[in-house]
Amino acid sequence: MSVDAGAGRLRTEADEPGWEVDPDDEWGIAVIATVGRQLRLRREAVGMRAAEFGESVGYGEDLVYKIEGGKRIPRQEYLDRADEVLGAGGLISATWVDVKRVRYPKRVRELGKLEAMAVEIGVYECNSVHGLVQTSGHARALFEAAQPPYSQDDVERMVAARLARQSVFDRDPAPSLHFVLEEAVVRRPVGGTMVWGQQLEHLLEVGKLRNVALQVMPTNSDAHPGLDGKIELLKFPDGTVVGRSDGAFNGRPITDPKQLRILELRYGTIRAQALPPRESLAFIEQLLGET
């Protein structure tokens, strides 16, 4: 990222919200601190002051010091420009491989790591389309609707993090995935008619995959155990299971076998009451025809 076009000024921290280092993310702090130290040592090795370097890469001196001090996450454009200015021959640019792994919030990374290891994922969602099957447009509309509002930089960062989790669909062998969505979730035109239509099309594509079972819970169904909130169950190759439910055990992830049996019973009951996968896809196709 360079000097602000038109205004001719250097970018400051106010221009790039959402790239602070999470103080609770020990691994992220270590990675960003290491990259920042490498940047400072290379800058000093070529005899450039921070202000001079900042002018060359289009950033203010204060922001340069914060990146070098491990207080700010550098963008890929910053690293590429720094590599060019300092003549690092691609070594600084290469640090983006590590930086991009920690640019997402710690909680999202941990969830993505669990999903990447799971051989079976079961989800009941009552408020919105689950993140693993969201389109970028749908995810962006959800984040932009938050109050207090996120900065656009934050929104794009969170959208990228959410889409990165969907690499679970590219795994080989593929995990078994099953989703139960409330009818209201698929009916709500989040993001407007076009974005909604794209989301419905995506649900149809995902629902037709051999390793995916997608079900819709009709609004006119009787009461069921999911009315307390979302349920997630992740099963791993060694037989262990991690579960979480908004309406049970204070919403915390659980691994206790007795508690897991409760969630599995609830999730099984929900799946039994929802429309079968084939009827669910037919219902979504009908909705798509109405858009």
Side-chain angles (χ1 to χ4, degrees):
M1 191 163 294
S2 59
V3 177
D4 194 5
R9 65 181 181 83
L10 303 177
R11 296 187 69 81
T12 67
E13 190 170 4
D15 296 311
E16 296 194 349
W19 286 75
E20 298 84 2
V21 179
D22 182 352
D24 297 323
D25 185 358
E26 294 181 2
W27 183 52
I29 290 174
V31 170
I32 300 307
T34 299
V35 171
R37 185 163 54 252
Q38 291 178 11
L39 284 165
R40 178 178 59 80
L41 291 174
R42 285 189 174 274
R43 173 178 62 77
E44 293 175 346
V46 299
M48 292 187 76
R49 293 178 293 105
E52 179 186 1
F53 173 74
E55 290 179 0
S56 299
V57 297
Y59 277 70
E61 182 180 4
D62 183 62
L63 197 51
V64 169
Y65 277 128
K66 287 192 173 182
I67 290 175
E68 292 182 350
K71 306 298 183 184
R72 296 276 298 181
I73 302 173
R75 289 174 174 269
Q76 184 176 15
E77 296 91 337
Y78 181 95
L79 296 173
D80 288 343
R81 183 64 181 142
D83 191 279
E84 180 182 344
V85 170
L86 299 176
L91 293 178
I92 292 178
S93 292
T95 63
W96 175 248
V97 174
D98 296 316
V99 171
K100 70 179 181 181
R101 291 174 181 165
V102 299
R103 71 185 179 115
Y104 305 135
K106 179 181 178 182
R107 180 182 59 82
V108 175
R109 295 203 315 269
E110 291 175 343
L111 177 58
K113 184 177 180 180
L114 288 175
E115 290 170 342
M117 295 187 299
V119 295
E120 183 177 342
I121 300 175
V123 175
Y124 162 73
E125 183 64 78
C126 57
N127 294 318
S128 63
V129 173
H130 191 265
L132 287 180
V133 289
Q134 286 179 9
T135 62
S136 60
H138 187 99
R140 185 173 292 104
L142 290 177
F143 289 130
E144 289 178 342
Q147 291 295 332
Y150 295 114
S151 69
Q152 197 58 41
D153 192 79
D154 283 340
V155 168
E156 297 305 323
R157 185 182 179 197
M158 289 185 290
V159 169
R162 181 153 295 180
L163 297 182
R165 287 168 49 202
Q166 296 179 6
S167 61
V168 68
F169 288 98
D170 301 325
R171 284 170 47 194
D172 186 17
S176 175
L177 307 171
H178 30 94
F179 304 90
V180 181
L181 306 177
E182 284 287 340
E183 177 182 339
V185 167
V186 294
R187 278 191 177 276
R188 183 174 295 117
V190 172
T193 302
M194 184 174 72
V195 172
W196 179 39
Q198 292 171 342
Q199 179 62 69
L200 294 177
E201 290 176 348
H202 185 60
L203 289 176
L204 287 174
E205 293 174 3
V206 171
K208 292 175 182 177
L209 297 175
R210 289 185 300 169
N211 63 311
V212 176
L214 178 63
Q215 295 177 256
V216 173
M217 178 69 76
T219 301
N220 62 2
S221 65
D222 203 349
H224 60 76
L227 296 179
D228 285 339
K230 178 168 67 175
I231 295 176
E232 295 176 289
L233 289 165
L234 288 79
K235 300 182 180 181
F236 302 97
D238 62 359
T240 57
V241 181
V242 174
R244 195 188 76 81
S245 173
D246 290 342
F249 315 116
N250 297 317
R252 299 191 308 269
I254 59 169
T255 56
D256 179 80
K258 292 182 179 180
Q259 294 176 333
L260 286 169
R261 280 197 292 272
I262 293 174
L263 289 193
E264 289 174 338
L265 174 61
R266 293 181 180 182
Y267 187 61
T269 303
I270 291 169
R271 292 195 69 188
Q273 287 186 230
L275 294 176
R278 183 171 297 180
E279 292 181 29
S280 296
L281 293 181
F283 175 77
I284 295 173
E285 286 181 342
Q286 180 183 342
L287 284 181
L288 185 58
E290 297 173 1
T291 60

